[in-house]
Amino acid sequence: CYPGWRNNMSFESDLKRMEEITDLLKNDETGLEESIKLYEEAAALGKKLTKTLTEIQRKVEKVTSDNEMELETEPFEEDEE
């Protein structure tokens, strides 16, 4: 197994929690205090997810550079919605 598979599971569960928080914040029945707590949780999760994605990008670049004679790094293009 890939040594980082447990971290990937955490990433997946964090992403799922972020989606749950988003749904709760969109719900009109969520109170102000709960919304603030959810927002704070989402902000912390966002930082954690961003850090994980940055680490993954570095690993991909390393694998690419280890397997290629020449490395050309291109910025990751986000889907524009």
Side-chain angles (χ1 to χ4, degrees):
C1 264
Y2 174 71
W5 72 272
R6 290 180 196 263
N7 289 338
N8 290 339
M9 293 300 292
S10 176
F11 178 84
E12 294 295 328
S13 62
D14 288 346
L15 190 57
K16 183 176 174 69
R17 178 61 183 154
M18 185 69 89
E19 291 170 357
E20 292 170 355
I21 291 171
T22 301
D23 290 341
L24 287 168
L25 288 172
K26 289 179 182 178
N27 187 335
D28 292 336
E29 294 179 17
T30 303
L32 180 60
E33 283 188 42
E34 184 178 358
S35 293
I36 292 169
K37 289 177 185 177
L38 289 168
Y39 179 82
E40 290 171 345
E41 182 182 353
L45 277 173
K47 287 180 184 179
K48 183 179 176 186
L49 290 167
T50 299
K51 180 180 176 186
T52 301
L53 288 173
T54 300
E55 291 171 2
I56 291 169
Q57 180 181 10
R58 287 184 188 138
K59 288 178 185 178
V60 169
E61 288 175 355
K62 177 162 177 27
V63 168
T64 303
S65 67
D66 288 348
N67 292 321
E68 300 282 334
M69 295 303 262
E70 295 180 27
L71 173 63
E72 291 183 26
T73 304
E74 295 181 17
F76 178 75
E77 295 182 21
E78 295 183 31
D79 293 339
E80 293 185 25
E81 294 180 13

